[in-house]
Amino acid sequence: MEREGQFVGESGAFLDAVEKASRAAPLDRPVLVVGERGTGKELIAERLHRLSMRWDGPFVTLNCAAMPETLIEAELFGHEAGAFTGATKARVGRFEEADGGTLFLDELGTLSTGAQERLLRAVEYGEITRIGSSRPQRVDVRIVAATNADLPKMADENKFRADLLDRLSFEVVTLPPLRFREGDIPVLTDYFGRRMAAELEWPSWPGFGRLANEALNRHEWPGNVRELRNVIERAVYQWNDHSMAVDHVVFDPFESPWKPKEANATLESGVAASPTTEVPPTPVEAASVEPVFQDVDDMKEAVEAYEKRILEAALAKSRYNQRQTAKALNLTYDQLRHSLKRHDLLKT
């Protein structure tokens, strides 16, 4: 199955953004794609290119944030031999590479003032000049730019050229964050889960269990679809029994009871922590088990239900290994078996 280039979702907000991009694609005008990280800005840029009359031309990408300010202009516009220290031979820039096609400028808001000035001329007149040259060259390039910054605010604060912003924002496609894409989390979860299961050559896709689905729906998704994909793929590959629904997800792969302490970390007493001190593993966290105490009208029944949910969460976190579950809950193996049997959770 293809790993990239797929549009998956059925929420109105998401489909409206895709439709807006599709309508703008045939027009040979600049388009600005706005959205938080991980919302799919590059996918929209590719769609704009492939649905345009330039579909058989080059699609060239430059992440403006990844280039140091001293090199970004040379990267965009090229340079002649000897233009600066280290420029031993002439080199074409991304504009020349994209001639006849589309140039996608990601993280547009990080462009230096000098690069903004030169970009403005390229957009306005269709001409670029290599660094170290006095001879302008004509290029036929459609520009699609992306940002997660508030460019109008930056323009008001003189941090971004207002005239450049005017020329690049013929159309603005704003992608909704995942937390506002109603109904898309289950769709994306199933899509990424099936794809990972196929990659691992599982004979069938068991889906996600109730605990995992509840946790996935509660999460705020600051990293949006990119974060969701990583969480789902990690959960599937870490799951040992593909005959059972995947029921454990890890949102923060860096979380660990053995996470290294900072060198200057101090204890509450003010004494520096020893670098050799080991932090003992903590019992299974019940953060995903959220009781609603104000709705309790039968204490015994509520306690039983809460205990069952703790057991379910602990089992899932321990990959249904009962001895590990007992250790995590600070129970003996026999105590755990008795509790599982009482709650009808005993599988074996």
Side-chain angles (χ1 to χ4, degrees):
M1 301 175 69
E2 287 189 23
R3 292 186 57 81
E4 306 296 342
Q6 299 293 321
F7 280 102
V8 181
E10 57 186 32
S11 69
F14 172 71
L15 295 179
D16 285 348
V18 174
E19 174 63 17
K20 193 173 187 179
S22 301
R23 288 174 61 86
L27 302 175
D28 204 16
R29 298 287 190 279
V31 176
L32 184 60
V33 185
V34 179
E36 296 179 6
R37 63 186 176 92
T39 49
K41 295 187 289 294
E42 186 166 354
L43 290 181
I44 289 292
E46 291 178 4
R47 185 177 187 84
L48 287 162
H49 173 70
R50 291 174 181 173
L51 295 182
S52 73
M53 298 301 292
R54 299 170 178 267
W55 62 271
D56 58 345
F59 177 76
V60 178
T61 298
L62 175 65
N63 185 336
C64 301
M67 299 297 301
E69 185 176 336
T70 53
L71 294 180
I72 188 68
E73 293 183 56
E75 190 69 26
L76 274 173
F77 306 107
H79 61 78
E80 298 292 350
F84 51 84
T85 303
T88 56
K89 60 182 179 179
R91 183 178 183 278
V92 301
R94 300 299 174 94
F95 264 95
E96 291 180 73
E97 290 177 1
D99 193 22
T102 303
L103 175 60
F104 174 51
L105 300 177
D106 200 6
E107 302 291 351
L108 179 70
T110 63
L111 271 183
S112 66
T113 302
Q116 289 181 39
E117 292 176 358
R118 296 173 68 95
L119 179 58
L120 176 62
R121 180 170 182 83
V123 175
E124 185 74 11
Y125 301 108
E127 290 183 350
I128 59 114
T129 303
R130 290 185 184 179
I131 307 297
S133 173
S134 58
R135 188 180 74 255
Q137 303 179 55
R138 293 200 62 81
V139 289
D140 176 22
V141 174
R142 183 194 193 180
I143 295 178
V144 176
T147 184
N148 58 8
D150 188 344
L151 291 185
K153 182 180 179 182
M154 290 178 64
D156 290 341
E157 297 172 348
N158 294 320
K159 296 178 180 177
F160 194 87
R161 290 188 66 114
D163 46 2
L164 176 59
L165 180 59
D166 289 340
R167 286 162 176 79
L168 292 180
S169 56
F170 168 79
E171 181 62 285
V172 178
V173 178
T174 303
L175 295 175
L178 184 56
R179 60 188 176 276
F180 294 126
R181 288 173 54 174
E182 185 176 356
D184 276 359
I185 290 177
V187 175
L188 288 161
T189 294
D190 187 68
Y191 171 74
F192 290 127
R194 287 179 181 276
R195 194 175 66 173
M196 191 64 183
E199 183 177 329
L200 296 172
E201 299 182 348
W202 286 12
S204 61
W205 169 235
F208 280 87
R210 178 176 61 83
L211 292 173
N213 281 320
E214 288 178 358
L216 291 167
N217 282 307
R218 279 198 307 269
H219 191 60
E220 286 295 317
W221 299 111
N224 292 292
V225 179
R226 185 185 297 121
E227 179 191 3
L228 177 101
R229 183 188 67 191
N230 287 337
V231 168
I232 296 304
E233 291 182 349
R234 182 166 55 241
V236 173
Y237 108 83
Q238 289 180 348
W239 195 247
N240 295 324
D241 187 355
H242 52 68
S243 66
M244 296 180 61
V246 179
D247 218 8
H248 178 64
V249 292
V250 176
F251 294 103
D252 182 3
F254 293 97
E255 187 58 43
S256 169
W258 300 280
K259 185 189 298 185
K261 297 285 188 182
E262 293 184 10
N264 61 350
T266 57
L267 300 175
E268 290 183 4
S269 62
V271 180
S274 168
T276 59
T277 301
E278 291 188 0
V279 180
T282 56
V284 166
E285 296 178 1
S288 61
V289 184
E290 298 179 353
V292 183
F293 298 118
Q294 61 268 31
D295 295 336
V296 172
D297 54 13
D298 186 322
M299 183 170 179
K300 183 176 180 181
E301 182 179 328
V303 169
E304 289 290 310
Y306 188 43
E307 181 178 312
K308 182 176 181 179
R309 295 189 66 186
I310 291 175
L311 289 168
E312 289 176 328
L315 281 167
K317 189 168 185 178
S318 299
R319 310 292 192 276
Y320 291 89
N321 183 306
Q322 293 178 12
R323 294 195 181 278
Q324 289 184 12
T325 303
K327 184 178 181 180
L329 293 176
N330 199 24
L331 298 173
T332 67
Y333 180 67
D334 289 338
Q335 287 173 329
L336 175 69
R337 296 277 297 184
H338 176 74
S339 296
L340 294 177
K341 183 176 182 180
R342 184 159 53 85
H343 291 289
D344 197 25
L345 296 174
L346 200 56
K347 302 294 183 181
T348 58

